Structures are given as C-alpha cells and as structure tokens.
Amino acid sequence: TWLRLQLPDFYAISLVESELAEFSVYPNPTKGEGSIEFTEGGAYAISVTDMVGNTILSMEETVNANEKIRFDLSSYASGVYLININGEGGSKTVKVTVQ
C-alpha cells in the first residue's frame, strides 16, 4: 500500500491512500455475510485479519471486471476486521465491522 502524508499546515495532518486495487465491501457493518465487488478483473489474494493481527481467512480468487465474491465471518466474534486484497495493480485494506 502506498501512502502519501500531506502536511498542509501544522494542525491538519491526513493520509491519502493510492487507489491501486479497486474493490468495495458491503454491507458494512455486517452480521457476518457480505460481498467483495471488484472493478477490475484479475487474480487476487484475499486475507482477513482480526485487530490483533491473526489471519482468520485466506483465499485466492480470479475474477472478471465487476464480479463479486461472497465471504462469511458469522462464525467469528463481533468486532472490527481488516480485509486485505493484493492484486497485480497493488493492494488495499478496508475495515469491516461484524455485529
């Protein structure tokens, strides 16, 4: 993941993430089941980690443009998880909340 630190003035600090791997995760928050929709087709490595850093789900998928795959986290405790997707265009991580 490429991050750029922008410092417009002393008090305003923000991080801007490059949009390398385009995908969306929904619904968020979820009761455990959801979908990941990919804007671009290709081969992707997908991992889900808890906030402690334990990998709880790992898979590899090849998808077409605008295709979606389903995931199920309903057997895991409620909380925040990180979904990391690596592809040819780079990687991106999003937070998903399981209620």
Side-chain angles (χ1 to χ4, degrees):
T1 302
W2 292 90
L3 296 176
R4 180 178 61 215
L5 183 61
Q6 295 178 330
L7 300 172
D9 58 51
F10 182 75
Y11 295 103
I13 297 175
S14 65
L15 293 176
V16 176
E17 183 175 345
S18 297
E19 298 295 327
L20 296 175
E22 292 289 333
F23 67 92
S24 56
V25 178
Y26 58 90
N28 192 8
T30 177
K31 294 189 184 294
E33 295 182 4
S35 296
I36 303 170
E37 185 170 358
F38 296 85
T39 303
E40 298 179 15
Y44 294 92
I46 303 161
S47 64
V48 180
T49 58
D50 60 19
M51 294 308 286
V52 180
N54 299 317
T55 300
I56 60 168
L57 180 65
S58 182
M59 61 184 148
E60 293 187 12
E61 296 285 337
T62 300
V63 298
N64 296 316
N66 300 315
E67 187 175 351
K68 59 184 165 186
I69 61 165
R70 300 197 43 78
F71 64 88
D72 186 0
L73 302 176
S74 60
S75 61
Y76 297 98
S78 298
V80 176
Y81 295 88
L82 299 175
I83 298 178
N84 182 274
I85 300 182
N86 292 300
E88 294 177 17
S91 69
K92 189 172 179 180
T93 303
V94 296
K95 291 181 186 177
V96 64
T97 302
V98 176
Q99 297 179 329

